[in-house]
Amino acid sequence: MTTELLPSPAPVEAPQPRPRIFSGIQPSGIVHLGNDLGAIRNYVMLQWEYEAIYCIVDYHALTSTHDPAVMRQRTREMAASLLALGLDPERCTLFVQSHRPEHAELMWLLTTVTPVSWLERTPTYKEKKQNQPDDINHGLLTYPVLQAADIAIYKAGLVPVGKDQAAHLEISREIVRAFNNRYGVTFPEAEAVYTEAPVVLGTDGVRKMSKSVGNTIEILGSPDEICKQVMSMVTDTKRILRTDPGRPEVCNVCQMHRFFGDDWEEIQDGERTARTGCVDTKKLLAARIIEHYAPARERYAELMAHPAEIDGILEAGADRLKPLAQATMDEVRTKMGLR
Ligand code: AQP
């Protein structure tokens, strides 16, 4: 009788931790199409593959929102918007920046490795100086250091954002590099992750869609509001008559159709051959945006009717992050000679 050797059991592999990502969004109340196509779609998708941490950055918003009641309301609205658009608190951690005060402490420590000249050259700082000349507070200048701290405190390696954040993220990388050089490697230099629409143009068809410019399409607004905003969109400025052939490659309306339906080629062709007019293309886009976001709009209304549920999710998120944030702070304080 031969004795057969049993095959040795395959080594049991420990489950690999999912790589960590982080992103922040300001509690601005409204969510526009640029936020969704440029960033939130990635938040939703990446929560399945990554350990995803998403933060409503109220400390940042204090640089321009000064009414406490407005701040509270907008924070809740932003949380409800993100949840309505698909963030799942079972798959990701959603929390409010000020609920984890370690962000502010790390920011202070990082300011000590950050030359002021880096901050003064930030494009958004220069922009804000023009947009709110009567309120150039120090927070506007140090905004990128707080952003660096937001990402670094969780040692996130990837940051889903829109392209408008590229310069900020580059400064974040420089800041953590400066820290690592001085105190030893502590933080990863996080990389941006972009969607297929890293820059969504506003209804003017020229500038980035942005609340402060007032060229937004508010996706969770009423169908009437969405319709009005879409119908105000600037199309191909060289197409004067209905019979003029259009240039879909420069028409913002046509470009947006790419994300709402699988007949983009046909829509482009219709415009190119003047088979369809700009008004037709806009009406169709408005209808599709309204339809696409209808379930999110419904969910948003439900959530806003149950504020305690929203607050519970945010609180649980901040609690879950406490050990991680505190471990980083312990390490940083030790490395900097603070203990
Ligand atoms: N137009 C856009 N195209 C692509 N991505 C965009 N994002 C914002 N606008 C566009 C991305 O959305 C995320 C949240 O950004 P934020 O917190 O800066 O959002 P916001 O305040 O709503 O952006 P605005 O409208 O541009 O604000 P203001 O006018 O106040 O400065 C980020 O990942 C951002 O890249």
Side-chain angles (χ1 to χ4, degrees), residues 23-26 28 32 34-35 38-39 43 128 160-165 197-200 208-213:
S23 196
I25 188 160
Q26 294 206 55
S28 54
H32 55 72
N35 295 140
Y43 293 6
K128 293 278 177 184
V161 276
K163 204 66 184 264
D164 57 315
Q165 291 295 322
V199 181
V200 177
K208 172 193 97 114
M209 187 176 287
S210 170
K211 278 182 322 284
S212 46
V213 177

